[in-house]
Amino acid sequence: MVTFKKIKVCFILLFVVANIFYIAPCFSSSLREDLFENALNLSSSGKFDLALKEWNRYLDSYPDDAAGLSNRGNIRLVIGDIKGSIEDQNKAINLNPSEIDPYINRGIAEEALGLWSQAKKDYMFVISQDSNNFSALYNLANVEGSTSQWEKARDLFSKASFYNPGFAMARSSMALADFQLGNIDESEEELKKLIRRYPTFADARAALTALNWSKGESGKAESNWIAVTELDSRYSDEEWLKKIRRWPPRPIKELMNFIDLK
């Protein structure tokens, strides 16, 4: 009997905080369990090349283990083998179609290829099975934003943060969507709450920098930006904001205007 548990890891192809779920089964065989746990520990510690070798070793012995396939698919995604990742998630789903985590994992890989409709289908399936799944809600929101459906994205970010109040990136993304939609007061209020709760959260400070600049509040913008530059230099990279973090266009424009003093 296979059971599943979830462990968050950093995903370097999408801004992470995107959640990848490892699926850990319980075994009667201590050798099998040791092999699985070793691969899992290497994955969680960020030793991705070694982890891939261990997942390959594990799957050579247990090729029909859906958990192992899904976990290897996550690692293949991190190291850039996106098609290989989707292949592993497909196999995991075929072996255990009722388990939802491989659908999320496949959706993330599909997003990396810009396959928005396929990713949306996977996230919608997860939500149909578990309407409170904040990871699927957040990822679906990113898909909606990537196709310029910012009202839908805003509502989904809100739901994701409701079901996981500590999910700071979902709340920041909701505030950015509000900024895009012209809900400036709501956006500003949420960003200030986030900064009070998480003073070193660069995303919220960068977003508030852009918002302050759009309102002509240059002093406040400068104050927030000083903190951002010390926390995460990527926010000055327009392409990173567009393609990796996937901010809405209006906040990006205002932040670039601030940086260029326009």
Side-chain angles (χ1 to χ4, degrees):
M1 180 68 178
V2 177
T3 60
F4 294 82
K5 68 180 180 182
K6 301 177 181 178
I7 302 174
K8 297 177 184 176
V9 299
C10 179
F11 174 36
I12 63 174
L13 294 180
L14 301 175
F15 187 70
V16 208
V17 206
N19 292 308
I20 294 180
F21 294 95
Y22 288 113
I23 309 168
C26 299
F27 304 112
S28 58
S29 167
S30 60
L31 175 59
R32 185 176 182 181
E33 183 177 4
D34 288 345
L35 287 171
F36 191 99
E37 289 298 325
N38 184 45
L40 190 64
N41 290 335
L42 288 169
S43 302
S44 298
S45 62
K47 299 175 182 178
F48 301 124
D49 289 336
L50 289 174
L52 180 61
K53 291 179 181 178
E54 287 303 299
W55 287 121
N56 287 339
R57 180 184 173 199
Y58 176 82
L59 288 165
D60 284 343
S61 298
Y62 311 103
D64 293 329
D65 186 279
L69 285 162
S70 188
N71 280 294
R72 186 177 70 176
N74 291 337
I75 297 303
R76 293 175 82 173
L77 177 59
V78 171
I79 66 175
D81 182 10
I82 303 173
K83 292 183 178 179
S85 175
I86 292 174
E87 180 182 338
D88 275 347
Q89 301 304 342
N90 287 340
K91 290 178 180 178
I93 289 167
N94 288 336
L95 288 164
N96 193 346
S98 63
E99 173 55 39
I100 62 176
D101 288 346
Y103 292 91
I104 295 177
N105 297 335
R106 185 172 68 180
I108 294 170
E110 290 162 341
E111 283 191 75
L113 292 176
L115 303 174
W116 310 123
S117 61
Q118 291 94 318
K120 181 175 181 178
K121 182 178 179 181
D122 277 333
Y123 300 142
M124 290 293 291
F125 172 78
V126 174
I127 293 166
S128 73
Q129 304 301 304
D130 176 11
S131 61
N132 299 350
N133 191 298
F134 63 87
S135 295
L137 289 164
Y138 177 80
N139 290 338
L140 179 58
N142 277 324
V143 170
E144 295 290 5
S146 295
T147 55
S148 301
Q149 301 298 314
W150 288 107
E151 288 189 9
K152 291 180 180 179
R154 192 267 177 211
D155 290 343
L156 288 162
F157 285 132
S158 177
K159 289 180 181 178
S161 63
F162 176 79
Y163 291 121
N164 184 357
F167 195 174
M169 191 59 73
R171 292 174 58 188
S172 186
S173 295
M174 179 184 71
L176 283 160
D178 270 329
F179 189 173
Q180 175 67 26
L181 294 167
N183 304 326
I184 301 301
D185 291 343
E186 292 89 338
S187 178
E188 184 173 14
E189 181 180 2
E190 183 62 34
L191 291 171
K192 286 180 177 178
K193 286 180 181 178
L194 278 169
I195 291 169
R196 283 197 297 270
R197 180 67 179 85
Y198 309 104
T200 60
F201 184 27
D203 198 73
R205 285 195 175 274
L208 192 55
T209 299
L211 191 148
N212 290 149
W213 186 256
S214 74
K215 294 174 65 178
E217 298 171 344
S218 58
K220 292 180 180 179
E222 289 284 356
S223 178
N224 279 299
W225 187 245
I226 289 171
V228 174
T229 57
E230 294 175 351
L231 294 166
D232 194 334
S233 62
R234 293 175 296 180
Y235 283 89
S236 61
D237 185 341
E238 185 174 2
E239 288 303 302
W240 180 83
L241 285 171
K242 288 179 179 177
K243 296 180 180 180
I244 307 300
R245 176 58 186 95
R246 286 192 272 168
W247 268 22
R250 182 178 177 185
I252 292 176
K253 179 181 178 181
E254 293 295 346
L255 186 59
M256 293 303 108
N257 284 344
F258 164 78
I259 291 171
D260 295 335
L261 296 177
K262 290 182 179 179

